[in-house]
Amino acid sequence: MLRGLHKASSTWLGKAVMAAVMGVIAISFAIWGIGDIFRGFGRNAVATIGSTEISIEQFRQFYNDRLQQLGRQVGRPITPDEARARGLDRQLLAQLIAETTIDEQAKQLRLGIDNAEIAKRITSDPSFRGPNGQFDRQRFEQIIRQAGFTESRFIEEQRRSMLRRQLGQSVTSDLKVPATALAALNQYQNEKRAIEFVVLEAAQAGDIPVPTPEVLSKYFEERKTLFRAPEYRNITLLFVAPADLAKPDAVSDADARAYFEQRKDSFGKPEKREVRQISSSKGRRKPPRHESASQRARRLTTSPRKGS
């Protein structure tokens, strides 16, 4: 299935469209229900994406984990009021809904990660290596414990993270912006124009006398092309089709019969007869090839007749 997604998004246009679709889905889920997230703790769930429900306790744990991670990064704890003032509650809720949306899509596609692949990723992580450069079990447990994870929860989080990364790479990997778009963007952001202009007011032009007809005529002749209007042509088109002229219902039977009688010869064909003739020379004696008239007469008078 991942190969199918990657093939569908092999072009930059396909990648852009699929990325936009997934972004719209995530944003739409993020917008829904955000306004009531901290006022609606009496409900059982924060949001529902497909068949997956984000419970209040799940969001609270996700929210606290992220605040602790941010606190470790800045070197001091972040209070709930400070987090809300910075909009972290809404950002983290949007992040959780977006991740859950991708997880739901992976579930619908029946995607999964083998346990051996997850173990390979964890053991190859430089953060979990000891002084000898090999995977250190104790260091691994210490780091995930400080991050607020149990081993089973950390492994499950790694599984979901790998699936999200694979889905994201199938959509956005090797996404290249066309050179034309880059050139247009660069031109819009960085191109500059230097303009020098002089403002001339009416007073600086001085007194202009009223032009005489000769001056106007000369000015017009020198610039005649500037006053020309484009040339136009008027066309009247009459479209006549055979269906417009043919009106068989308007012809009476008498007119049709008279027209036929006047042109009867053009509607008929000459009569023809077919003759088949079979000739037979059976019972006749062939005359000699060279025979005179007297010899032929003598032969006919002396030849016996039937019935005599």
Side-chain angles (χ1 to χ4, degrees):
M1 184 61 70
L2 286 176
R3 286 194 298 269
L5 288 174
H6 185 72
K7 182 178 180 181
S9 58
S10 56
T11 62
W12 70 270
L13 179 60
K15 295 175 185 294
V17 170
M18 294 185 69
V21 170
M22 294 190 68
V24 170
I25 292 175
I27 292 173
S28 62
F29 281 117
I31 294 175
W32 181 83
I34 289 179
D36 296 331
I37 182 60
F38 286 101
R39 298 193 303 269
F41 277 106
R43 298 181 298 179
N44 295 327
V46 175
T48 301
I49 298 95
S51 60
T52 303
E53 185 179 85
I54 302 177
S55 64
I56 296 175
E57 184 60 32
Q58 181 181 356
F59 173 70
R60 183 183 290 110
Q61 184 178 12
F62 178 83
Y63 181 76
N64 292 332
D65 291 342
R66 292 301 185 271
L67 286 186
Q68 291 178 7
Q69 292 178 7
L70 292 175
R72 286 192 294 269
Q73 292 177 4
V74 298
R76 63 177 179 84
I78 298 178
T79 63
D81 293 337
E82 184 181 359
R84 185 176 301 182
R86 294 184 178 183
L88 295 178
D89 52 348
R90 301 174 184 273
Q91 296 178 18
L92 292 176
L93 177 59
Q95 179 182 349
L96 179 59
I97 293 178
E99 292 178 355
T100 307
T101 303
I102 299 177
D103 296 341
E104 182 67 17
Q105 183 66 22
K107 185 187 301 183
Q108 293 179 2
L109 296 175
R110 299 181 180 180
L111 303 178
I113 301 295
D114 186 62
N115 292 333
E117 185 67 23
I118 298 176
K120 180 180 178 181
R121 177 179 178 179
I122 294 175
T123 55
S124 60
D125 192 335
S127 302
F128 303 141
R129 294 177 182 177
N132 58 356
Q134 302 297 324
F135 174 73
D136 190 339
R137 176 77 181 183
Q138 294 182 353
R139 180 175 176 82
F140 164 72
E141 294 177 351
Q142 179 183 2
I143 291 177
I144 64 174
R145 191 182 306 111
Q146 290 176 355
F149 287 97
T150 62
E151 181 175 349
S152 59
R153 182 165 163 244
F154 179 79
I155 292 175
E156 188 61 29
E157 179 63 26
Q158 292 299 307
R159 189 189 309 275
R160 289 194 296 266
S161 177
M162 293 177 67
L163 284 175
R164 294 167 194 158
R165 184 176 292 105
Q166 288 188 10
L167 281 174
Q169 289 178 352
S170 65
V171 174
T172 60
S173 61
D174 299 331
L175 181 60
K176 296 182 179 179
V177 181
T180 304
L182 286 176
L185 181 61
N186 178 66
Q187 183 177 1
Y188 175 77
Q189 294 179 345
N190 302 321
E191 191 175 30
K192 297 181 180 180
R193 292 287 187 271
I195 301 176
E196 296 180 359
F197 61 94
V198 177
V199 178
L200 298 177
E201 298 180 355
Q204 295 174 337
D207 295 332
I208 301 177
V210 179
T212 62
E214 292 77 9
V215 174
L216 291 177
S217 177
K218 180 181 178 181
Y219 182 87
F220 173 75
E221 292 296 334
E222 293 176 351
R223 300 169 178 82
K224 186 180 296 185
T225 57
L226 299 177
F227 298 94
R228 288 181 180 176
E231 190 175 4
Y232 296 95
R233 291 290 185 271
N234 293 329
I235 299 176
T236 302
L237 179 63
L238 177 61
F239 180 78
V240 179
D244 299 331
L245 299 177
K247 298 180 179 180
D249 297 337
V251 181
S252 63
D253 295 341
D255 294 339
R257 186 177 297 106
Y259 183 85
F260 174 77
E261 292 296 335
Q262 294 174 2
R263 296 168 176 79
K264 185 184 299 184
D265 296 339
S266 62
F267 294 104
K269 293 182 179 181
E271 188 176 3
K272 296 181 180 181
R273 293 288 186 272
E274 183 178 356
V275 179
R276 295 183 180 182
Q277 181 178 4
I278 301 175
S279 59
S280 176
S281 59
K282 187 178 180 181
R284 298 181 182 179
R285 187 174 60 181
K286 295 182 179 180
R289 180 174 298 178
H290 302 286
E291 185 179 21
S292 62
S294 58
Q295 291 176 347
R296 180 177 179 80
R298 190 182 305 109
R299 180 175 57 79
L300 292 175
T301 54
T302 57
S303 58
R305 297 181 179 178
K306 294 183 180 181
S308 57

PDB file of all heavy atoms in Angstrom, residues 60-76:
ATOM      1  N   ARG A  60      -4.579  15.001  28.351  1.00  0.00           N
ATOM      2  CA  ARG A  60      -3.905  15.571  29.516  1.00  0.00           C
ATOM      3  C   ARG A  60      -2.493  15.018  29.651  1.00  0.00           C
ATOM      4  O   ARG A  60      -1.539  15.760  29.930  1.00  0.00           O
ATOM      5  CB  ARG A  60      -4.703  15.276  30.783  1.00  0.00           C
ATOM      6  CG  ARG A  60      -4.084  15.902  32.032  1.00  0.00           C
ATOM      7  CD  ARG A  60      -4.854  15.547  33.287  1.00  0.00           C
ATOM      8  NE  ARG A  60      -6.153  16.202  33.314  1.00  0.00           N
ATOM      9  CZ  ARG A  60      -7.325  15.570  33.175  1.00  0.00           C
ATOM     10  NH1 ARG A  60      -7.338  14.263  32.955  1.00  0.00           N
ATOM     11  NH2 ARG A  60      -8.462  16.227  33.233  1.00  0.00           N
ATOM     12  N   GLN A  61      -2.341  13.700  29.425  1.00  0.00           N
ATOM     13  CA  GLN A  61      -1.010  13.089  29.513  1.00  0.00           C
ATOM     14  C   GLN A  61      -0.108  13.601  28.399  1.00  0.00           C
ATOM     15  O   GLN A  61       1.070  13.930  28.636  1.00  0.00           O
ATOM     16  CB  GLN A  61      -1.139  11.565  29.432  1.00  0.00           C
ATOM     17  CG  GLN A  61       0.178  10.829  29.602  1.00  0.00           C
ATOM     18  CD  GLN A  61      -0.020   9.322  29.560  1.00  0.00           C
ATOM     19  OE1 GLN A  61      -1.081   8.837  29.201  1.00  0.00           O
ATOM     20  NE2 GLN A  61       1.009   8.593  29.932  1.00  0.00           N
ATOM     21  N   PHE A  62      -0.640  13.705  27.177  1.00  0.00           N
ATOM     22  CA  PHE A  62       0.136  14.230  26.050  1.00  0.00           C
ATOM     23  C   PHE A  62       0.536  15.680  26.315  1.00  0.00           C
ATOM     24  O   PHE A  62       1.683  16.084  26.062  1.00  0.00           O
ATOM     25  CB  PHE A  62      -0.707  14.131  24.768  1.00  0.00           C
ATOM     26  CG  PHE A  62      -0.044  14.679  23.544  1.00  0.00           C
ATOM     27  CD1 PHE A  62       0.862  13.916  22.816  1.00  0.00           C
ATOM     28  CD2 PHE A  62      -0.325  15.971  23.111  1.00  0.00           C
ATOM     29  CE1 PHE A  62       1.471  14.435  21.685  1.00  0.00           C
ATOM     30  CE2 PHE A  62       0.284  16.494  21.978  1.00  0.00           C
ATOM     31  CZ  PHE A  62       1.182  15.721  21.272  1.00  0.00           C
ATOM     32  N   TYR A  63      -0.394  16.450  26.850  1.00  0.00           N
ATOM     33  CA  TYR A  63      -0.147  17.863  27.128  1.00  0.00           C
ATOM     34  C   TYR A  63       0.944  18.034  28.188  1.00  0.00           C
ATOM     35  O   TYR A  63       1.879  18.819  28.026  1.00  0.00           O
ATOM     36  CB  TYR A  63      -1.456  18.505  27.584  1.00  0.00           C
ATOM     37  CG  TYR A  63      -1.368  19.978  27.882  1.00  0.00           C
ATOM     38  CD1 TYR A  63      -1.308  20.920  26.863  1.00  0.00           C
ATOM     39  CD2 TYR A  63      -1.371  20.431  29.200  1.00  0.00           C
ATOM     40  CE1 TYR A  63      -1.244  22.273  27.145  1.00  0.00           C
ATOM     41  CE2 TYR A  63      -1.307  21.790  29.483  1.00  0.00           C
ATOM     42  CZ  TYR A  63      -1.246  22.698  28.460  1.00  0.00           C
ATOM     43  OH  TYR A  63      -1.178  24.044  28.728  1.00  0.00           O
ATOM     44  N   ASN A  64       0.854  17.293  29.265  1.00  0.00           N
ATOM     45  CA  ASN A  64       1.850  17.394  30.335  1.00  0.00           C
ATOM     46  C   ASN A  64       3.224  16.917  29.868  1.00  0.00           C
ATOM     47  O   ASN A  64       4.252  17.514  30.226  1.00  0.00           O
ATOM     48  CB  ASN A  64       1.391  16.579  31.547  1.00  0.00           C
ATOM     49  CG  ASN A  64       0.160  17.188  32.206  1.00  0.00           C
ATOM     50  OD1 ASN A  64      -0.054  18.400  32.142  1.00  0.00           O
ATOM     51  ND2 ASN A  64      -0.649  16.351  32.835  1.00  0.00           N
ATOM     52  N   ASP A  65       3.260  15.821  29.061  1.00  0.00           N
ATOM     53  CA  ASP A  65       4.550  15.332  28.560  1.00  0.00           C
ATOM     54  C   ASP A  65       5.232  16.387  27.695  1.00  0.00           C
ATOM     55  O   ASP A  65       6.446  16.617  27.815  1.00  0.00           O
ATOM     56  CB  ASP A  65       4.348  14.044  27.767  1.00  0.00           C
ATOM     57  CG  ASP A  65       3.925  12.875  28.655  1.00  0.00           C
ATOM     58  OD1 ASP A  65       4.116  12.975  29.887  1.00  0.00           O
ATOM     59  OD2 ASP A  65       3.407  11.880  28.103  1.00  0.00           O
ATOM     60  N   ARG A  66       4.453  17.033  26.837  1.00  0.00           N
ATOM     61  CA  ARG A  66       5.052  18.034  25.952  1.00  0.00           C
ATOM     62  C   ARG A  66       5.507  19.258  26.746  1.00  0.00           C
ATOM     63  O   ARG A  66       6.547  19.846  26.448  1.00  0.00           O
ATOM     64  CB  ARG A  66       4.053  18.453  24.869  1.00  0.00           C
ATOM     65  CG  ARG A  66       3.732  17.358  23.868  1.00  0.00           C
ATOM     66  CD  ARG A  66       4.998  16.896  23.152  1.00  0.00           C
ATOM     67  NE  ARG A  66       4.699  15.934  22.107  1.00  0.00           N
ATOM     68  CZ  ARG A  66       4.629  14.613  22.286  1.00  0.00           C
ATOM     69  NH1 ARG A  66       4.854  14.110  23.511  1.00  0.00           N
ATOM     70  NH2 ARG A  66       4.359  13.805  21.293  1.00  0.00           N
ATOM     71  N   LEU A  67       4.748  19.651  27.766  1.00  0.00           N
ATOM     72  CA  LEU A  67       5.172  20.783  28.581  1.00  0.00           C
ATOM     73  C   LEU A  67       6.464  20.462  29.322  1.00  0.00           C
ATOM     74  O   LEU A  67       7.353  21.322  29.441  1.00  0.00           O
ATOM     75  CB  LEU A  67       4.074  21.163  29.575  1.00  0.00           C
ATOM     76  CG  LEU A  67       2.854  21.892  29.014  1.00  0.00           C
ATOM     77  CD1 LEU A  67       1.933  22.314  30.155  1.00  0.00           C
ATOM     78  CD2 LEU A  67       3.255  23.097  28.186  1.00  0.00           C
ATOM     79  N   GLN A  68       6.601  19.238  29.809  1.00  0.00           N
ATOM     80  CA  GLN A  68       7.840  18.858  30.496  1.00  0.00           C
ATOM     81  C   GLN A  68       9.017  18.864  29.525  1.00  0.00           C
ATOM     82  O   GLN A  68      10.124  19.295  29.875  1.00  0.00           O
ATOM     83  CB  GLN A  68       7.665  17.483  31.139  1.00  0.00           C
ATOM     84  CG  GLN A  68       6.695  17.464  32.307  1.00  0.00           C
ATOM     85  CD  GLN A  68       6.513  16.075  32.884  1.00  0.00           C
ATOM     86  OE1 GLN A  68       7.218  15.135  32.498  1.00  0.00           O
ATOM     87  NE2 GLN A  68       5.559  15.929  33.813  1.00  0.00           N
ATOM     88  N   GLN A  69       8.796  18.375  28.293  1.00  0.00           N
ATOM     89  CA  GLN A  69       9.876  18.382  27.303  1.00  0.00           C
ATOM     90  C   GLN A  69      10.285  19.809  26.963  1.00  0.00           C
ATOM     91  O   GLN A  69      11.482  20.118  26.871  1.00  0.00           O
ATOM     92  CB  GLN A  69       9.418  17.636  26.046  1.00  0.00           C
ATOM     93  CG  GLN A  69       9.222  16.151  26.255  1.00  0.00           C
ATOM     94  CD  GLN A  69       8.724  15.476  24.989  1.00  0.00           C
ATOM     95  OE1 GLN A  69       8.649  16.085  23.926  1.00  0.00           O
ATOM     96  NE2 GLN A  69       8.372  14.199  25.114  1.00  0.00           N
ATOM     97  N   LEU A  70       9.302  20.687  26.794  1.00  0.00           N
ATOM     98  CA  LEU A  70       9.628  22.084  26.500  1.00  0.00           C
ATOM     99  C   LEU A  70      10.323  22.740  27.688  1.00  0.00           C
ATOM    100  O   LEU A  70      11.242  23.559  27.507  1.00  0.00           O
ATOM    101  CB  LEU A  70       8.342  22.852  26.157  1.00  0.00           C
ATOM    102  CG  LEU A  70       7.653  22.466  24.841  1.00  0.00           C
ATOM    103  CD1 LEU A  70       6.333  23.202  24.694  1.00  0.00           C
ATOM    104  CD2 LEU A  70       8.553  22.763  23.647  1.00  0.00           C
ATOM    105  N   GLY A  71       9.900  22.378  28.894  1.00  0.00           N
ATOM    106  CA  GLY A  71      10.559  22.934  30.078  1.00  0.00           C
ATOM    107  C   GLY A  71      12.009  22.518  30.168  1.00  0.00           C
ATOM    108  O   GLY A  71      12.886  23.319  30.549  1.00  0.00           O
ATOM    109  N   ARG A  72      12.307  21.260  29.818  1.00  0.00           N
ATOM    110  CA  ARG A  72      13.707  20.808  29.842  1.00  0.00           C
ATOM    111  C   ARG A  72      14.529  21.517  28.771  1.00  0.00           C
ATOM    112  O   ARG A  72      15.721  21.762  28.941  1.00  0.00           O
ATOM    113  CB  ARG A  72      13.759  19.289  29.639  1.00  0.00           C
ATOM    114  CG  ARG A  72      13.323  18.494  30.872  1.00  0.00           C
ATOM    115  CD  ARG A  72      13.673  17.031  30.716  1.00  0.00           C
ATOM    116  NE  ARG A  72      12.909  16.399  29.640  1.00  0.00           N
ATOM    117  CZ  ARG A  72      11.724  15.798  29.821  1.00  0.00           C
ATOM    118  NH1 ARG A  72      11.187  15.755  31.045  1.00  0.00           N
ATOM    119  NH2 ARG A  72      11.094  15.234  28.829  1.00  0.00           N
ATOM    120  N   GLN A  73      13.878  21.867  27.651  1.00  0.00           N
ATOM    121  CA  GLN A  73      14.613  22.548  26.584  1.00  0.00           C
ATOM    122  C   GLN A  73      14.948  23.979  26.976  1.00  0.00           C
ATOM    123  O   GLN A  73      16.047  24.469  26.670  1.00  0.00           O
ATOM    124  CB  GLN A  73      13.779  22.534  25.290  1.00  0.00           C
ATOM    125  CG  GLN A  73      13.616  21.146  24.684  1.00  0.00           C
ATOM    126  CD  GLN A  73      12.724  21.162  23.460  1.00  0.00           C
ATOM    127  OE1 GLN A  73      12.286  22.211  23.008  1.00  0.00           O
ATOM    128  NE2 GLN A  73      12.443  19.978  22.912  1.00  0.00           N
ATOM    129  N   VAL A  74      14.027  24.663  27.631  1.00  0.00           N
ATOM    130  CA  VAL A  74      14.285  26.059  28.012  1.00  0.00           C
ATOM    131  C   VAL A  74      14.977  26.163  29.367  1.00  0.00           C
ATOM    132  O   VAL A  74      15.422  27.256  29.758  1.00  0.00           O
ATOM    133  CB  VAL A  74      12.965  26.862  28.042  1.00  0.00           C
ATOM    134  CG1 VAL A  74      12.337  26.878  26.660  1.00  0.00           C
ATOM    135  CG2 VAL A  74      11.984  26.297  29.082  1.00  0.00           C
ATOM    136  N   GLY A  75      15.057  25.066  30.093  1.00  0.00           N
ATOM    137  CA  GLY A  75      15.775  25.064  31.360  1.00  0.00           C
ATOM    138  C   GLY A  75      14.961  25.516  32.553  1.00  0.00           C
ATOM    139  O   GLY A  75      15.530  25.779  33.618  1.00  0.00           O
ATOM    140  N   ARG A  76      13.636  25.581  32.435  1.00  0.00           N
ATOM    141  CA  ARG A  76      12.784  25.956  33.554  1.00  0.00           C
ATOM    142  C   ARG A  76      11.386  25.420  33.299  1.00  0.00           C
ATOM    143  O   ARG A  76      10.993  25.207  32.140  1.00  0.00           O
ATOM    144  CB  ARG A  76      12.742  27.474  33.723  1.00  0.00           C
ATOM    145  CG  ARG A  76      12.152  28.218  32.551  1.00  0.00           C
ATOM    146  CD  ARG A  76      12.076  29.712  32.787  1.00  0.00           C
ATOM    147  NE  ARG A  76      11.514  30.400  31.622  1.00  0.00           N
ATOM    148  CZ  ARG A  76      10.202  30.528  31.396  1.00  0.00           C
ATOM    149  NH1 ARG A  76       9.331  29.969  32.247  1.00  0.00           N
ATOM    150  NH2 ARG A  76       9.775  31.181  30.337  1.00  0.00           N
TER     151      ARG A  76
END
